[in-house]
Amino acid sequence: SRDFERAKEEAHKILSEDPNDVDGHILLANTHAALKNMEASLEEIQTAIRLAPATSRRTESEPDSST
């Protein structure tokens, strides 16, 4: 739990420098989830999605439908 608290502090530091940092929001979401704060985790994931809606986890073998 102490490691998750440190990770949460790091995420807040990242986001204080750049509130639009998608990775910072994902890190914060993961730490909230690990600390059993699912509502806050969901809010952070939704923010990350809103900031980077086109980001996906396609594998290189999957076609890119945008071309």
Side-chain angles (χ1 to χ4, degrees):
S1 176
R2 177 188 248 167
D3 290 335
F4 293 119
E5 288 294 339
R6 276 188 283 188
K8 189 168 122 179
E9 289 172 14
E10 181 64 22
H12 281 294
K13 179 181 174 189
I14 292 167
L15 293 172
S16 72
E17 294 171 7
D18 180 4
N20 294 321
D21 187 297
V22 173
D23 291 330
H25 286 285
I26 292 171
L27 176 59
L28 189 53
N30 288 336
T31 60
H32 282 309
L35 295 168
K36 309 292 187 218
N37 186 347
M38 297 306 160
E39 186 175 326
S41 178
L42 181 59
E43 288 175 15
E44 291 301 327
I45 287 295
Q46 288 171 334
T47 299
I49 291 168
R50 195 169 49 254
L51 291 171
T55 304
S56 70
R57 298 227 178 233
R58 283 193 311 270
T59 64
E60 291 192 22
S61 63
E62 292 180 58
D64 183 353
S65 62
S66 66
T67 56

